[in-house]
Amino acid sequence: MIKVGIIGATGYAGGELVRILMNHKDVEIKWYGSRSYIDKKYFQVYRNMFEIVEDVCKDDNINELADQVDVIFTATPQGFLAGILTEEILNKVKIVDLSADYRIKDVAVYEKWYGIEHKSPQFIEEAVYGLCEINRGKINEKTRLVANPGCYTTCSILTAYPLVKEGLIDASTLIVDAKSGTSGAGRGAKVPNLYCEVNENIKAYGVASHRHTPEIEEQLGYAGGKEVVLNFTPHLVPMNRGILVTEYATLVKKADGSLPTYEEIKAAYDKYYANEKFVRVLEKGECPETKWVEGSNYVDVNFVIDERTGRIIMMGALDNLVKGAAGQAVQNMNILFGLDEAAGLDLIPCFP
Amino acid sequence: MIKVGIIGATGYAGGELVRILMNHKDVEIKWYGSRSYIDKKYFQVYRNMFEIVEDVCKDDNINELADQVDVIFTATPQGFLAGILTEEILNKVKIVDLSADYRIKDVAVYEKWYGIEHKSPQFIEEAVYGLCEINRGKINEKTRLVANPGCYTTCSILTAYPLVKEGLIDASTLIVDAKSGTSGAGRGAKVPNLYCEVNENIKAYGVASHRHTPEIEEQLGYAGGKEVVLNFTPHLVPMNRGILVTEYATLVKKADGSLPTYEEIKAAYDKYYANEKFVRVLEKGECPETKWVEGSNYVDVNFVIDERTGRIIMMGALDNLVKGAAGQAVQNMNILFGLDEAAGLDLIPCFP
Amino acid sequence: MIKVGIIGATGYAGGELVRILMNHKDVEIKWYGSRSYIDKKYFQVYRNMFEIVEDVCKDDNINELADQVDVIFTATPQGFLAGILTEEILNKVKIVDLSADYRIKDVAVYEKWYGIEHKSPQFIEEAVYGLCEINRGKINEKTRLVANPGCYTTCSILTAYPLVKEGLIDASTLIVDAKSGTSGAGRGAKVPNLYCEVNENIKAYGVASHRHTPEIEEQLGYAGGKEVVLNFTPHLVPMNRGILVTEYATLVKKADGSLPTYEEIKAAYDKYYANEKFVRVLEKGECPETKWVEGSNYVDVNFVIDERTGRIIMMGALDNLVKGAAGQAVQNMNILFGLDEAAGLDLIPCFP
Amino acid sequence: MIKVGIIGATGYAGGELVRILMNHKDVEIKWYGSRSYIDKKYFQVYRNMFEIVEDVCKDDNINELADQVDVIFTATPQGFLAGILTEEILNKVKIVDLSADYRIKDVAVYEKWYGIEHKSPQFIEEAVYGLCEINRGKINEKTRLVANPGCYTTCSILTAYPLVKEGLIDASTLIVDAKSGTSGAGRGAKVPNLYCEVNENIKAYGVASHRHTPEIEEQLGYAGGKEVVLNFTPHLVPMNRGILVTEYATLVKKADGSLPTYEEIKAAYDKYYANEKFVRVLEKGECPETKWVEGSNYVDVNFVIDERTGRIIMMGALDNLVKGAAGQAVQNMNILFGLDEAAGLDLIPCFP
């Protein structure tokens, strides 16, 4: 039985971790950390957990926690983990960090986009970027620190990855137009997240400045073997869960000047995803819908070639709280402990 | 391994049966019946099932189906099962009927409220009304036919049952004001169910004439030991899932003329539900919310005593597709086959 | 040109006042009062007003304001106006108060339900309860203070008023089950009003304790000529605007023991509403929908008689920000100044 | 008094025409044409119009209608008007066509994208493309036929027009990612438009093949003085009204190799829109939100320059039923009859 602690258990991602781990047979949650609700019953914060979770919320004393559990999930604000992490902690416990603290290898880039100083850059090198389908080979029972990818990022990268990797698109032309449900904004009480402000409304935000941009660029840069600079534009959509990305790029013409065919592009996706349980390459002509993956760990991807413009339109959909946060974190935990990667993640998408 | 057939697998309740049964370890779905989509891949009707269900939809030949499976779920329009059911079929297979065909014992009442002739009244007597928490004692491995309760009905009955049973309220004063998500209206393409007609809107419908009324009256009549006539008013709410009932009744005064206390009412609820996994009597002061049970088989109930009017306000919430349809059907199946009643129903409510 | 000041111009009701008054030909808004946004451009608080309103927000100095305008609308928290109102102010300016401070004649009742001391009870007697369809005879150019009714209250009272007034129902049996959109909760940043908490959810709140209860009771008491005690249960619905009430009462039997007929009840509604522009008694069989009145000053009402239980089910729908707040306030202003009562209120309901 | 006939009065765009024209002082609606609801009271189709519109629906006999009115709005399916329009009709009455029949000058392009034969290409040349802000100079009292632009199109063109016209962007790099509320899909009863299918969901559709593409290309081609080929991707968003477009293009560098500045781009927008009542160029840093224009005839536009990629991100928002359909049609009618262009269009955006 793997003993688990969660710091930030009362945010939306923390709540989703609890939902998933409650049905994971090899796991026992020992610590529900929540600075805001210390000593309150967890089910009093999330009433859906009434008669399911009896524990009370504890503080975020990571040193004490590290003695009691095998793995800690940190679903905490940017900078929190970086500010408290020590070699001593990492010697005692594995950490899957759902924040961005260790996702970006270049600390200057992190500090520029996040606007905060990184307090423990010495662990960045060691941290594995936990995009399981791409990096699982780098994660094993010796790994101490996993940087769990962001929601926008997971969706954006997986949607374009095979084509960047195979050199089928010109990555310098890549544009990512992303649409997210509102749970991505967290449970903080702010006017722009009130029901009446979000409902019956759609808007872009963080245009040309959203923090997930360098994370996407870095990972696609590794895939393509050279630096990628791209446009990423997030939008807020009136729904609870789900991210949809629509990505545009110019196709690299073949030697004879023609565009790659549908079959050639499809083959590239299949090369990387045919054996991936959690990435579904849809049938020709089907556009991903966030509803088809809701509540599950799936990412659905597909594409359309536009012969007129020479561009390809790639699309991807996932549940931002599952594959975009808690589900992927559990997937990483499974790999860390040598379990079946899908353990506890047999979540059938819920429709309607 | 229990072999299962579903007739009406492509309606919303049928889809939910598939979602639940896919994670039920003792079950194998052998037949996805759908008159509208014969020979079509099931996942082409419900794209969430892509790479999860590979089967094609079959017709609704119940005689053939009865030879192949152990239990049939019928999620079909009113009158369908009554029109085709035979002794021969019941000798071969168990049936859990999600329609109303065998719920009402008085065939005249059925025919009046549903406006159709009952084609096989000879099976009504035998059918067990599958409200598990109340009738599980009547269901066993010899039971051939279970009439699975309706969504409004399950919620309405369970919310008032202990108080009617214990004589704490005057059942002749009972008023049920019910609010339902839109999946209860089914997947038929009708203008009133279009997004733009339902969204940003609420309305009552079927006022004083809704078909679930006699079902509630009959069951509460059994509980109280005398006929119950009540008001039931359903409302359509702009959300996918969930039913909330708000019920009003005059409390029966005690011998000294005083009203029952909070503790006395609470004791009545606990008497019937304290050991029920799927009925949660909330903490004092908490009002049930449909979101707290979404995707799960729970019913949440609670109450407030109004000293000023001498009435009690009872509230109940469930997911109309789970405890109000497919989940309860699986619960009945578990009882029929002697399995753990909660097998396959360890569904944690999904929030947000 | 009537000069108008608004205190609380940046709440949802204040914003709706601005929307309506901008198209009122006889009105000029001179003062956008907002304690939270002093010196900020009004359109920076409500971006829909960009290039429409150029003014900046001012403080809530009612004494200074009273010198500059003919009428003040106060869309302020409970107790605010009562705490600052003076004879001197009322001698200079008319006030339409959208808060509850002067709605309830019995100050003890006010203080009990609102839990605050009333700081200026000397003005309660003078204040006219501005439910225009019922009290317009009491409002004229000499009136100084109008207590504008609440949203739940307007809907609840108008739906039952003719039947209570005519003695057709037993008011002691009256139960009001009300459903409201989320704008009624205001623009305060609180977790329960976040998009993800309200969306896909419905719940009751304030059960047997909501502050609008005594206001409904008092007004229906006047109508029926004797005290009324009733149940009022509000519910929060995932939509921006709209209130629907479903009301239940036992019909008073006629001398021969029979129930009143549809025609007799309809005649009672028509007696009071046939000439009312803003109250629409729907055609037989039609149930009010909040969508049909959205954005307008209409109240739609209708009823169904249930012969089985001897009860009548009354239904009413309005837009909580218009007839339930700003629209009715403008209607009162029109009466106060001798204008056409409907001036500026020719708002066609917006569908979809 | 301008006499108006509407063919297709019971679709969503037709309903919006009625809502707007009811408050237009110079207009009288003489004919509510609706093939599906002939002889039915209009308010029985749209209950919001109860006690507002008393007329019954009539057929779509355009010849008879042309004798009775001054202008006909056709809110009809593609090909309908083209199939019945004659010289005789145009000699009697002006027509504002909300369908696409006369929007595209090249009939071959029309027939390719719409997949139907054009039955009256002889009128295409004469028809004026009624994008008022750009083409009002071509519309006057002699104009007989106005092709009212589509909803996606109006938003897409106006958002990019000044920059294409001024040569500030490379039009060959233009990508339009558009998001629409569901009323754009019409009132037809189809499964994909059901509440439960649209709610809590977002998807792209018509990728690289949507019919509005050539209309955008043609108009921006005129603006830029050369053919434009672009990507247009529409998405369905769970809200009733509103279109948001996010457009991407590479900025044309200045002679010194630098990018245009914010001020230069802003000046280009102001050159065309500073005096336009219905186009609002937002303050720096503000992203358009569909909610800020809901119910009104405004288009809100703004932009962000991304120095990193050399691209500009342009954004535009409008209400698809107003500026995207009925509002613009009324604006065109006003121009046709020499009225104030904004007559009847003083619609304040409704928030929340």
Side-chain angles (χ1 to χ4, degrees), chain C residues 28-89:
Chain C
E28 190 180 7
I29 305 178
K30 304 294 285 184
W31 188 290
Y32 295 83
S34 173
R35 189 182 290 182
S36 312
Y37 296 103
I38 295 173
D39 292 337
K40 199 161 185 178
K41 291 257 189 186
Y42 187 75
F43 74 75
Q44 290 175 323
V45 183
Y46 282 122
R47 293 272 166 193
N48 54 325
M49 291 301 179
F50 183 55
E51 297 189 356
I52 300 172
V53 177
E54 289 302 318
D55 300 67
V56 298
C57 295
K58 296 181 185 168
D59 63 25
D60 49 14
N61 185 335
I62 195 169
N63 291 292
E64 188 189 337
L65 171 54
D67 287 328
Q68 300 185 17
V69 299
D70 303 306
V71 60
I72 297 172
F73 294 96
T74 46
T76 45
Q78 308 314 327
F80 174 86
L81 182 60
I84 60 168
L85 191 59
T86 62
E87 184 67 22
E88 189 190 358
I89 293 168

Side-chain angles (χ1 to χ4, degrees), chain D residues 16-317:
Chain D
E16 192 71 356
L17 270 170
V18 174
R19 178 177 82 94
I20 294 172
L21 292 173
M22 290 304 295
N23 274 347
H24 194 304
K25 283 169 301 185
D26 305 309
V27 164
E28 189 180 9
I29 305 178
K30 305 294 285 185
W31 186 292
Y32 295 82
S34 172
R35 190 183 287 181
S36 311
Y37 296 103
I38 295 173
D39 292 336
K40 199 160 185 177
K41 291 259 191 185
Y42 187 75
F43 74 74
Q44 291 176 324
V45 182
Y46 282 121
R47 294 271 167 193
N48 53 326
M49 291 301 178
F50 184 55
E51 297 188 357
I52 299 172
V53 177
E54 289 302 318
D55 300 67
V56 298
C57 295
K58 296 180 186 170
D59 62 25
D60 50 14
N61 184 335
I62 195 170
N63 290 291
E64 188 188 336
L65 170 54
D67 288 328
Q68 300 186 15
V69 298
D70 302 307
V71 59
I72 297 172
F73 294 97
T74 46
T76 44
Q78 308 314 328
F80 174 86
L81 182 61
I84 60 167
L85 191 59
T86 63
E87 185 66 24
E88 189 189 357
I89 293 167
L90 283 176
N91 283 337
K92 291 196 280 190
V93 70
K94 293 179 187 306
I95 294 182
V96 178
D97 179 28
L98 281 77
S99 87
D101 284 4
Y102 301 97
R103 291 179 193 159
I104 294 172
K105 292 301 176 195
D106 184 337
V107 69
V109 170
Y110 174 90
E111 294 187 340
K112 179 185 159 207
W113 286 82
Y114 284 85
I116 51 176
E117 184 193 353
H118 200 297
K119 300 286 190 178
S120 55
Q122 69 272 22
F123 301 118
I124 295 178
E125 181 59 31
E126 170 182 2
V128 180
Y129 188 75
L131 192 48
C132 312
E133 284 73 16
I134 293 171
N135 283 343
R136 73 164 65 85
K138 298 181 186 161
I139 311 170
N140 56 51
E141 303 189 23
K142 288 182 182 158
T143 306
R144 303 194 301 177
L145 178 57
V146 173
N148 202 62
C151 50
Y152 278 128
T153 327
T154 298
C155 201
S156 300
I157 296 170
L158 289 175
T159 298
Y161 178 81
L163 305 195
V164 174
K165 181 83 175 173
E166 297 292 307
L168 287 162
I169 56 174
D170 175 356
S172 75
T173 65
L174 195 58
I175 288 169
V176 179
D177 191 283
K179 298 90 177 168
S180 174
T182 305
S183 60
R187 214 188 190 194
K190 295 172 188 164
V191 167
N193 296 337
L194 289 177
Y195 182 82
C196 290
E197 310 281 320
V198 173
N199 188 40
E200 295 296 289
N201 198 9
I202 183 169
K203 65 174 176 184
Y205 64 99
V207 180
S209 61
H210 193 276
R211 295 165 168 196
H212 278 179
T213 311
E215 191 180 329
I216 303 168
E217 291 178 340
E218 181 177 329
Q219 296 298 324
L220 290 180
Y222 297 148
K226 62 179 174 189
E227 194 187 9
V228 171
V229 181
L230 51 73
N231 274 107
F232 170 72
T233 312
H235 297 77
L236 188 66
V237 178
M239 58 185 194
N240 284 358
R241 288 167 178 249
I243 283 180
L244 181 75
V245 296
T246 313
E247 307 192 7
Y248 303 85
T250 298
L251 286 162
V252 174
K253 286 183 181 160
K254 294 192 285 191
D256 66 358
S258 68
L259 293 175
T261 64
Y262 171 82
E263 288 70 24
E264 287 164 339
I265 299 291
K266 180 66 159 54
Y269 276 105
D270 286 342
K271 177 174 173 185
Y272 293 92
Y273 297 148
N275 295 319
E276 289 295 341
K277 178 183 169 106
F278 294 125
V279 184
R280 304 191 293 195
V281 184
L282 301 186
E283 293 185 306
K284 189 173 183 179
E286 293 299 317
C287 293
E289 306 189 16
T290 58
K291 195 74 187 154
W292 301 126
V293 296
E294 188 177 320
S296 82
N297 203 48
Y298 290 106
V299 185
D300 283 1
V301 298
N302 213 352
F303 65 93
V304 173
I305 295 169
D306 187 354
E307 301 279 347
R308 299 169 65 250
T309 61
R311 294 193 194 102
I312 188 167
I313 300 98
M314 298 155 278
M315 295 163 281

Side-chain angles (χ1 to χ4, degrees), chain C residues 129-150:
Chain C
Y129 188 75
L131 192 49
C132 312
E133 284 72 16
I134 292 172
N135 283 345
R136 74 164 63 83
K138 297 180 186 162
I139 311 170
N140 55 51
E141 301 187 25
K142 289 182 183 158
T143 306
R144 303 194 301 176
L145 179 57
V146 173
N148 203 60

Side-chain angles (χ1 to χ4, degrees), chain C residues 297-309:
Chain C
N297 202 47
Y298 291 105
V299 185
D300 283 1
V301 298
N302 213 353
F303 65 92
V304 172
I305 296 169
D306 187 355
E307 300 279 348
R308 298 168 65 251
T309 61

